Amino acid sequence: MTEKVGAILLDTRSIQKYVFGCNRLKTNTGASYLVDGIFTEAMVDVLKKSGLKMPAEDWKEAKKMMLSEDNAVECEIAYIGGGNMLVLVRKGEESLRICRELVKEWSLKVLLEAPGLKTGAAIGEIDLAYANFQASLNALYKQLKENQNNVLPQVDLPYTGFSVECDYSGKAANVYNKEYKRLVSAEVEAKTAAYDAADKKIKKNFSEVIGDEYDFCSELESLGYKDGESYISVIHIDGNNMGVKFSNCRDMQERKNLSKKVQETVEHAFGYLIKKIVTEYDTYADVLDMRALKQGNKRLLPLRPIIIGGDDITFICPGRMGLQYAQAFIEYVNSEDLLDKDLYNYIKKETGKQINRSLSCCAGVAIVPAKYPFFRAYELAEQLCDEAKDLSRKDDGNYLDFAILHGEKYGDIKLLRKEQYESANGSLHYGPYNVLGKENDKQSVKGMLALSAKLAADKMPRNKVKELRRVLHEDKHSMSIFLENCPEICELVKKENKLATVVADDLWDEIEDKDKVIFATRYIDAIEAIDFNYPEKKTGAK
């Protein structure tokens, strides 16, 4: 068996900035397609034209690494996933030279087809022998990281000051875009031009669910939010402990199988989410603008996927639906196993870490005005996801954190929480929340939404709910007076905590916050979620 072969490890840099650098949904969607295509199409095309003999079977379908099985095979795609692509080349002493030529051809193709996208590459050797595989792959990843720190690629024509500036990217505007009716940068033109192909691909992937009756919207204005409720939810979801799971694969085939399983699991879960929306569609009339959800003879879905790649998922929906859709997606992801039993037991033994067999993941839900800068909204969603992941590290759990902005612009979630969600009594934010927890779990998404629904009930005076939010910022004496004068809230707190009498301290709980215990109140989150809480519909099993 051949052991050492030439290897190319490719990656993309600053994907989020590239994809979300514009408030045009078509441009964002097209950008995501271009990022995905630099591996699945651009590099595959370079390999096909190289003259190297490749396996007859597509890399996704192959059950074995053919480079190890067939001496005639000279080049093989090991895997594509997680923003990386690994290509193996076996050509004796010429292997590394050929690898450099392939990277050169690919880089030129990316510059032409996805202008503005920054990429990276590492070239070395991979030892396919069972005992040495992981060490040689780790060395290649280390080289890639060093290249990222030391090589700063210039992928744009310099802006001279004599050129018109692109309104969307801030770069030199040198192409006339017919749809936007103005000069734009080559980057924006390429992203916009890629939209049709991106739209066609996503529809094909989920054709069994959407059929001929439903379609995805192409503009934020068609997402279905009502006038006066012009908020969208930007949801970012990321898998937990993926580095641990991949780094403990014992050979290339196991790593390849895991990469394919991640993609399949995510696509299945997103398909289930779309099916849930289709099933509930006729119940949305009271919370969505159904006129906006029509385009010709098709009904538009109140959802638009932007990134569905590996364990990295980003989609948008009306502000009202964000918490429920994020929760539903994570529940569906966890409904099937990701790791086979053998690999699961091996990872637990080797690492001593508590991990789940499913694709456990965390979500950040940023609920912002529809005209809020898209990249800032995504950054906020990403930071919220990171907050949830901090909590997940102890048990590989599935957590969700959320924030609602009403126009103010914050670059850092920690600054927002410090300025608006801290009081002398403790934290005014109770999350992150356990996605899979039951309704009687105070720190679960279901528990928070159930409390929000109780505060929004008809018998609950709205002015008292607003006053509760105010007094929670004040001293405990003010809270006590409030409880004495609001029997509805007092009764709710009694039932929530199973108490005979209520005092101000009962509005607060002790919760774990990273490595310490703090006091926090559930009621601010629940009050804020009132306008963004759509009750779950009972639709039966998926």
Side-chain angles (χ1 to χ4, degrees), residues 59-101:
W59 75 274
K60 287 184 179 180
E61 307 302 326
K63 304 298 181 186
K64 295 181 179 180
M65 290 297 300
M66 295 308 297
L67 210 64
S68 303
E69 301 289 325
D70 185 351
N71 290 331
V73 173
E74 298 172 324
C75 178
E76 184 171 6
I77 298 171
Y79 65 83
I80 300 173
N84 295 132
M85 179 180 191
L86 182 63
V87 178
L88 305 179
V89 176
R90 177 176 59 199
K91 201 71 174 175
E93 295 180 357
E94 291 287 289
S95 295
L96 295 182
R97 181 191 65 78
I98 292 173
C99 288
R100 287 190 285 270
E101 287 297 318

Side-chain angles (χ1 to χ4, degrees), residues 280-297:
E280 297 178 353
Y281 201 90
D282 292 330
T283 70
Y284 288 155
D286 56 336
V287 291
L288 295 180
D289 180 0
M290 303 307 286
R291 292 169 300 175
L293 290 173
K294 285 188 178 179
Q295 184 171 284
N297 61 349

Side-chain angles (χ1 to χ4, degrees), residues 185-412:
S185 66
E187 177 182 323
V188 171
E189 174 66 13
K191 292 175 181 178
T192 308
Y195 172 77
D196 287 341
D199 194 47
K200 184 177 180 180
K201 180 181 178 182
I202 199 75
K203 288 176 186 176
K204 180 181 178 182
N205 287 348
F206 300 105
S207 59
E208 290 185 9
V209 185
I210 64 175
D212 296 325
E213 184 180 357
Y214 296 91
D215 202 352
F216 296 105
C217 66
S218 59
E219 300 292 345
L220 286 177
E221 292 77 9
S222 301
L223 204 53
Y225 51 77
K226 285 186 173 181
D227 291 339
E229 297 182 4
S230 302
Y231 284 79
I232 63 171
S233 288
V234 179
I235 297 111
H236 175 66
I237 299 174
D238 195 23
N240 297 336
N241 290 314
M242 297 310 293
V244 172
K245 292 165 186 174
F246 274 99
S247 64
N248 281 280
C249 292
R250 291 158 288 186
D251 56 35
M252 190 63 73
Q253 188 62 46
E254 198 165 54
R255 192 180 183 98
K256 179 178 179 178
N257 291 343
L258 181 57
S259 180
K260 287 166 58 180
K261 183 62 176 175
V262 169
Q263 186 68 32
E264 289 171 1
T265 302
V266 166
E267 289 187 358
H268 289 166
F270 203 79
Y272 287 139
L273 176 58
I274 296 172
K275 186 176 180 180
K276 164 189 167 67
I277 294 170
V278 168
T279 303
E280 297 178 353
Y281 201 90
D282 292 330
T283 70
Y284 288 155
D286 56 336
V287 291
L288 295 180
D289 180 0
M290 303 307 286
R291 292 169 300 175
L293 290 173
K294 285 188 178 179
Q295 184 171 284
N297 61 349
K298 291 196 174 185
R299 308 168 92 181
L300 295 179
L301 296 166
L303 173 94
R304 179 77 218 196
I306 298 177
I307 297 176
I308 306 291
D311 66 308
D312 186 356
I313 303 99
T314 303
F315 60 92
I316 62 171
C317 64
R320 223 174 230 281
M321 308 304 199
L323 293 168
Q324 289 80 2
Y325 286 178
Q327 176 188 352
F329 177 86
I330 293 176
E331 287 176 345
Y332 293 146
V333 161
N334 279 270
S335 66
E336 59 180 281
D337 288 337
L338 174 70
L339 303 175
D340 64 53
K341 191 172 182 180
D342 181 46
L343 180 57
Y344 169 71
N345 289 332
Y346 175 77
I347 294 175
K348 284 190 69 175
K349 180 181 176 182
E350 288 296 305
T351 65
K353 295 189 68 171
Q354 182 176 339
I355 61 167
N356 293 314
R357 285 187 65 182
S358 61
L359 177 56
S360 60
C361 48
C362 291
V365 180
I367 304 174
V368 299
K371 296 189 181 299
Y372 195 84
F374 209 97
F375 182 59
R376 284 183 179 270
Y378 173 80
E379 281 188 322
L380 177 61
E382 192 175 41
Q383 289 175 31
L384 289 163
C385 184
D386 288 342
E387 291 289 301
K389 287 177 80 71
D390 281 346
L391 189 57
S392 76
R393 289 189 174 93
K394 64 179 182 180
D395 61 358
D396 198 30
N398 298 267
Y399 294 94
L400 176 154
D401 206 356
F402 76 99
I404 303 168
L405 299 187
H406 299 284
E408 64 268 36
K409 296 178 182 178
Y410 277 88
D412 185 86

